[in-house]
Amino acid sequence: MRVAVTGEGAPLLLLTGIGANIEMWEPAARHLTGRRLVMLDVPGTGGSPALRVGLRMRGYAQLVTQVLDALGLDRVDVLGYSWGGALAQQLAHQAPDRVRALVLAATTPGLGGQPPSPWVLALMSSPARYYSRTYLRLTAPLLFGSSPRAAADSSHGQARLHRPPSLVGYTQQLYAISGWSSRRWLHRIDCPTLVIGARRDPLARPRNAHILAATLPDARLEMVDGGHLFLLEDPGQGCALVEDFLRDQDAAEASGAPVEQAGAGSRP
């Protein structure tokens, strides 16, 4: 897999949405200072070739663990965005010793959460928005709650169109998450978690953030005014929440005292 590491400090693993590539993190990466950012193209996206045989989420989490092994990283903070949020939950579940703290942004617990509308699911079944600027502009309001210009004429929009996923890779990611759910074991993920939901998100609808925060035993919930791509379109707001949360974890680790999380539903 293609991997990029930038910056200095405590490692923060960034797991992004379906079909997305490393370059799309650029708007957020500029605001996540003081961290060693670890980014990767999952198979079939960006510069990584597709898998020979499709995997489920458990298999993708094993691949991520192998990347951490190759980089010599025993324990990391993890920011999972959209599809990457499901992968982050799976990683924290099956390799809890590798995850210090978890940030779940614009994501869901899968089955048992609130699904998007049928037409949103239909649009998500195709990677066409990665190949056509016109298509991206037309579908951005329905898929992401974004303006056409914010989605297509931005740095992350340019990166999306410059390195589209392969059809096989995109289909493999769809296969991995189809039927997936964290609801059976979500309550057993005990690492400190920040859940960030967006009020105008048609893909990971706002109720999913409340479900995640209410089920996770050590979670803080933040709701922002934005759509699904809030961390890319307004990175200052979302990344400030991430930075504050991770600084709390740094301070707690240094002092040896647990961080007292604000309750689910805080600062809605």
Side-chain angles (χ1 to χ4, degrees):
M1 284 192 289
R2 176 174 175 250
V3 177
V5 181
T6 184
E8 299 291 337
L12 174 60
L13 173 65
L14 305 180
L15 301 174
T16 191
I18 187 168
N21 56 63
I22 288 170
E23 286 80 4
M24 289 177 65
W25 277 115
E26 191 270 337
R30 283 188 282 108
H31 289 78
L32 295 171
T33 57
R35 303 279 159 188
R36 183 184 181 193
L37 302 181
V38 180
M39 300 163 281
L40 54 89
D41 288 336
V42 299
T45 70
S48 297
L51 299 162
R52 293 181 180 177
V53 178
L55 297 172
R56 304 296 283 177
M57 274 298 181
R58 173 173 288 274
Y60 279 93
Q62 289 172 343
L63 288 179
V64 172
T65 302
Q66 291 170 8
V67 169
L68 296 180
D69 289 343
L71 295 173
L73 298 173
D74 294 328
R75 199 160 175 252
V76 296
D77 298 323
V78 182
L79 193 169
Y81 199 10
S82 191
W83 186 94
L87 179 55
Q89 293 171 63
Q90 186 70 47
L91 179 67
H93 168 59
Q94 68 189 59
D97 57 320
R98 309 302 294 269
V99 179
R100 184 188 75 150
L102 193 60
V103 179
L104 302 176
T107 192
T108 83
L111 290 180
Q114 184 180 23
S117 301
W119 57 85
V120 173
L121 282 175
L123 290 171
M124 282 298 296
S125 67
S126 166
R129 65 192 180 280
Y130 282 94
Y131 289 88
S132 167
R133 188 184 306 278
T134 300
Y135 187 87
L136 177 58
R137 285 174 174 156
L138 289 172
T139 58
L142 291 172
L143 269 179
F144 306 131
S146 301
S147 73
R149 183 173 181 178
D153 302 330
S154 55
S155 61
H156 65 87
Q158 298 286 347
R160 177 193 298 272
L161 294 161
H162 180 65
R163 282 187 178 269
S166 69
L167 181 58
V168 171
Y170 191 88
T171 302
Q172 287 174 339
Q173 285 189 271
L174 285 175
Y175 167 72
I177 203 167
S178 63
W180 175 85
S181 177
S182 64
R183 292 301 299 270
R184 299 186 312 277
W185 41 258
L186 193 61
H187 63 284
R188 296 201 293 270
I189 295 178
D190 61 359
C191 63
T193 304
L194 171 65
V195 179
I196 312 176
R199 295 188 181 93
R200 294 185 286 104
D201 188 344
L203 188 55
R205 295 165 78 176
R207 177 164 169 72
N208 290 291
H210 291 271
I211 292 171
L212 288 167
T215 308
L216 287 157
D218 188 8
R220 176 190 307 178
L221 173 64
E222 300 282 358
M223 299 299 297
V224 299
D225 289 318
H228 189 70
L229 302 179
F230 71 89
L231 206 55
L232 306 179
E233 294 178 349
D234 184 17
Q237 180 188 21
C239 291
L241 295 173
V242 174
E243 292 246 280
D244 288 347
F245 171 73
L246 294 179
R247 276 195 292 265
D248 287 347
Q249 310 316 311
D250 294 340
E253 189 169 66
S255 67
V259 177
E260 184 176 344
Q261 301 279 27
S266 65
R267 286 188 275 179

